[in-house]
Amino acid sequence: MLNRFARVRRSGFVWLHAFVLGCATPATTKTTTQAPSASSLADFNNGADKHVNVDMPAEAAEVRQNGNAPILSVVTLDEVVLPYVYGYPLYPEGAAARGIAELRKVSREGAKHSQSADTDGVVHVTEELPMIGCRFEGIRESKAKFVPLSLTCDLPAPKALGGAKRPVLGAVVAGAKAEEILKEPTVVENFLGAFHLTSGDFAAGSGTAFFNTTHGQIALVFKGQKLDHFAYYFDPNVAGWRDPASWEGVL
């Protein structure tokens, strides 16, 4: 059963969260999650050595517009765990690798791009997608190379996509408590009804709980013991996330 959990490398996801925190721009600091401590991570094999064929769903656009469909969904295929956001897969291989590009394409109305360089010369790029209330953040290493760090989605969904009544994960909605989420059948089925790690401030009611997936981490951020927003952190060691075809308009 543990094979369904994600393999978290101490040089991988720990670095990722620390990097995201260190690179947060003023405009996005309010929803940056707290980095988990290295001691709280365990080593699991979540199908990282497996490759499955994942289709690009033809009905993705319909799911995006369906106010009764969850914003975030999770599927396990032969030990490979992958998330979908508004019906579009976040998967770095095969046909499903188009998911990011397609999600960005259908949500491009009103999109805003910004970039800034830190004191080390690292160029931070943010793409805001107000149509879905989400944003991508990453690092532009060159004119031809963009390294995505995270996809963050505010809650509840925009009114045009269902608003506060639209479920976030399974049947739970924005503002749900942690115990409600852990009882959700989707969480029980894919994550055995348990968070894989939590931030140090989680017990106090305002912190972050993580689910490991094969190629990244889902972060659920709570404020006042209620689900406030979520993020997906891309594993920087996965080359497929850097495919230029996914980032047209960002490069």
Side-chain angles (χ1 to χ4, degrees):
M1 296 296 286
L2 290 180
N3 285 340
R4 298 183 62 189
F5 287 142
R7 175 168 57 197
V8 183
R9 296 179 294 275
R10 295 185 184 278
S11 61
F13 290 133
V14 174
W15 174 88
L16 173 61
H17 290 300
F19 195 76
V20 170
L21 286 173
C23 297
T25 61
T28 60
T29 300
K30 64 179 181 179
T31 56
T32 301
T33 58
Q34 181 175 341
S37 64
S39 62
S40 64
L41 299 181
D43 292 322
F44 296 107
N45 179 1
N46 188 45
D49 54 349
K50 290 182 176 292
H51 303 273
V52 299
N53 293 320
V54 180
D55 293 330
M56 176 62 218
E59 68 278 9
E62 296 179 15
V63 174
R64 174 180 171 274
Q65 291 300 125
N66 183 355
N68 294 316
I71 300 170
L72 173 66
S73 57
V74 181
V75 173
T76 300
L77 300 173
D78 192 19
E79 298 185 1
V80 172
V81 182
L82 67 143
Y84 289 70
V85 174
Y86 282 107
Y88 292 83
L90 300 183
Y91 192 69
E93 301 177 357
R98 292 170 38 219
I100 291 176
E102 293 295 325
L103 177 61
R104 294 179 57 239
K105 181 179 178 180
V106 300
S107 308
R108 65 178 177 268
E109 183 177 343
K112 298 179 181 179
H113 298 85
S114 61
Q115 68 178 48
S116 62
D118 61 22
T119 56
D120 295 322
V122 178
V123 179
H124 306 268
V125 178
T126 299
E127 178 179 62
E128 300 271 357
L129 301 173
M131 284 191 69
I132 57 175
C134 300
R135 67 179 172 277
F136 287 97
E137 296 175 86
I139 301 296
R140 179 181 292 153
E141 293 192 349
S142 69
K143 291 183 178 180
K145 187 175 182 180
F146 176 74
V147 180
L149 297 179
S150 63
L151 168 63
T152 301
C153 292
D154 296 327
L155 299 174
K159 290 184 179 180
L161 298 180
K165 293 184 179 180
R166 181 162 187 160
V168 178
L169 179 62
V172 299
V173 297
K177 294 187 176 181
E179 52 266 31
E180 296 177 65
I181 294 172
L182 293 179
K183 293 178 182 179
E184 165 57 41
T186 295
V187 173
V188 173
E189 178 181 356
N190 292 283
F191 303 119
L192 304 182
F195 295 126
H196 294 157
L197 59 147
T198 57
S199 62
D201 54 355
F202 179 76
S206 294
T208 307
F210 299 89
F211 290 124
N212 301 326
T213 70
T214 302
H215 300 101
Q217 283 184 320
I218 297 170
L220 303 181
V221 184
F222 295 82
K223 293 184 178 180
Q225 298 184 340
K226 296 181 179 180
L227 180 61
D228 182 78
H229 64 275
F230 72 86
Y232 182 76
Y233 288 99
F234 300 94
D235 183 345
N237 297 308
V238 177
W241 292 136
R242 302 189 290 274
D243 184 353
S246 296
W247 307 109
E248 183 178 353
V250 173
L251 290 170

